[in-house]
Amino acid sequence: MTRFGDGLRLAVGTLTAIPVPAPRRVDRGVAGVAMAFGLVAAVPLAAAAGLVVAAGGAIGLPAPAVAGLALGAVALGSRGLHLDGLADTADGLGASYDRAKALEVMRRGDSGPTGIATLVLVLLVQFGALTGAISDGHGVTAAVLAVLCGRCVLSLCCARHLPSARPEGLGATVGGSVPITVAALVFVLAAALATLAPGLPWWRGPLVVAVGYAAAALLLARCVRRLGGITGDVLGGCVEVAVAGALLAAA
């Protein structure tokens, strides 16, 4: 129970802006719990996105405005952490084929043209897809599913045998910390729960989850091949790409 409690606090404290007590200890076991329970930690973010969409529709706001507000609420609720990770990952991948140089670019924290362009394009995809889902009448479901799917993929990114690109940092703490069976169980559970998504055919929810996972897996494979493993930035990038993929499938 101690490991579970510490892992849940680590997940909520890392993935959201919700103030929680610091974990009493952080080891690979605790890190594995945190990444496996990203779905639970993301529930407040998903609820916020769904409430914004529902409220915007109730008062008659245009669909693009509602989509922008919902995405902004999620970004605010996660301190923009994953958006920053996406930009840094894109800069690293676009900087050089030299692994050390790419990691150094990612470590700097500022965003170059590649990172900014990637960030804008991914946000445009999220915005356009969510706008379409809102216009079709299932925007709340799309927003909630996409946010939850984006955090579920963290268990995939931290599955056993996936190394960290650096010997320090968040990637070193969580890299390879989730047993493969647990990562698979998270996917199956997410897909099973998605069959109950209101406003969608039973098969559409699992498709949303699968497309989100596929988008994240493509970026993850590229990063492991180029960088030698994962970093905290890579995790953030995978979250945002998964959200974009899930919203496209939902739209």
Side-chain angles (χ1 to χ4, degrees):
M1 290 300 294
T2 300
R3 176 179 292 182
F4 175 80
D6 283 341
L8 194 55
R9 284 191 289 269
L10 179 62
V12 174
T14 302
L15 301 178
T16 77
I18 299 173
V20 294
R24 282 166 288 187
R25 67 171 185 171
V26 177
D27 55 23
R28 289 186 66 76
V30 170
V33 171
M35 295 299 99
F37 280 87
L39 170 66
V40 176
V43 167
L45 297 178
L51 286 172
V52 169
V53 173
I59 64 177
L61 288 179
V66 176
L69 289 172
L71 293 174
V74 175
L76 183 64
S78 58
R79 301 185 299 272
L81 181 68
H82 309 308
L83 295 171
D84 178 69
L86 173 65
D88 287 345
T89 299
D91 277 333
L93 293 177
S96 171
Y97 279 98
D98 179 74
R99 172 179 173 272
K101 184 176 180 180
L103 289 172
E104 178 57 33
V105 168
M106 293 170 65
R107 191 196 299 269
R108 291 175 189 165
D110 55 347
S111 295
T114 303
I116 293 173
T118 300
L119 186 60
V120 169
L121 289 172
V122 171
L123 283 173
L124 280 175
V125 170
Q126 293 180 1
F127 172 79
L130 182 53
T131 298
I134 292 170
S135 298
D136 287 342
H138 55 269
V140 173
T141 297
V144 170
L145 268 182
V147 171
L148 295 178
C149 177
R151 279 65 184 175
C152 283
V153 301
L154 290 170
S155 60
L156 168 68
C157 298
C158 299
R160 195 67 45 84
H161 308 309
L162 284 177
S164 170
R166 299 191 186 101
E168 76 286 335
L170 179 62
T173 303
V174 301
S177 63
V178 180
I180 292 177
T181 52
V182 173
L185 181 62
V186 171
F187 170 74
V188 171
L189 178 62
L193 290 175
T195 63
L196 306 176
L200 296 177
W202 71 266
W203 54 268
R204 187 79 173 274
L207 177 64
V208 169
V209 174
V211 172
Y213 262 77
L218 287 173
L219 177 59
L220 177 64
R222 176 62 173 166
C223 290
V224 170
R225 186 165 57 250
R226 280 277 284 105
L227 306 175
I230 67 166
T231 68
D233 288 329
V234 170
L235 297 180
C238 287
V239 167
E240 293 298 339
V241 167
V243 170
L247 285 173
L248 279 175

